[in-house]
Amino acid sequence: MTILNQEDFRGFSYGFRPGRSQHQALDALAFALKRRKVSYVLDADIRGFFDHIDHGWMMKFVQHRVADPRMLRLIQKWLKAGVMEGESNGRRRRWVRRKER
């Protein structure tokens, strides 16, 4: 999926991109704030975004970019998959099932 979407990202996009980190994003922000007139800074937290978006609607958009039915089925499974929560040391982990959307 990364290959399909890289060309759509702007130069100032840092989230979940190969070779880019949150530290680079903060450096770029600090540089821009010092060098340019900035009227406002917007911060958006997308935590839980995929838990609340209509997966049918999202799949329609994905189908515009992905034609392979096997990949579409895989993406559908990822959307329905649960997640493991808790500490990574093997203790206190629990399986959380995603809600159907």
Side-chain angles (χ1 to χ4, degrees), residues 4-94:
L4 292 173
N5 295 313
Q6 277 302 317
E7 65 189 42
D8 294 334
F9 286 121
R10 304 279 187 217
F12 52 80
S13 298
Y14 285 85
F16 301 101
R17 292 184 66 193
R20 298 209 172 195
S21 70
Q22 68 272 24
H23 301 292
Q24 291 172 320
L26 291 172
D27 288 343
L29 178 62
F31 180 83
L33 290 172
K34 290 177 185 175
R35 305 283 174 150
R36 298 191 172 142
K37 181 181 179 214
V38 177
S39 299
Y40 61 91
V41 175
L42 176 67
D43 179 31
D45 184 0
I46 62 167
R47 184 179 331 187
F49 174 77
F50 290 103
D51 294 334
H52 301 287
I53 191 170
D54 182 313
H55 291 173
W57 177 84
M58 188 168 73
M59 286 303 297
K60 287 180 183 179
F61 279 89
V62 170
Q63 288 169 355
H64 287 285
R65 300 294 299 267
V66 178
D68 185 347
R70 295 170 298 176
M71 181 57 79
L72 292 169
R73 280 193 302 276
L74 183 58
I75 293 168
Q76 191 73 28
K77 288 180 180 184
W78 285 334
L79 291 172
K80 291 180 181 178
V83 295
M84 295 295 289
E85 289 185 343
E87 298 177 18
S88 61
N89 63 4
R91 290 184 251 149
R92 290 197 197 158
R93 294 196 75 164
R94 67 185 180 110

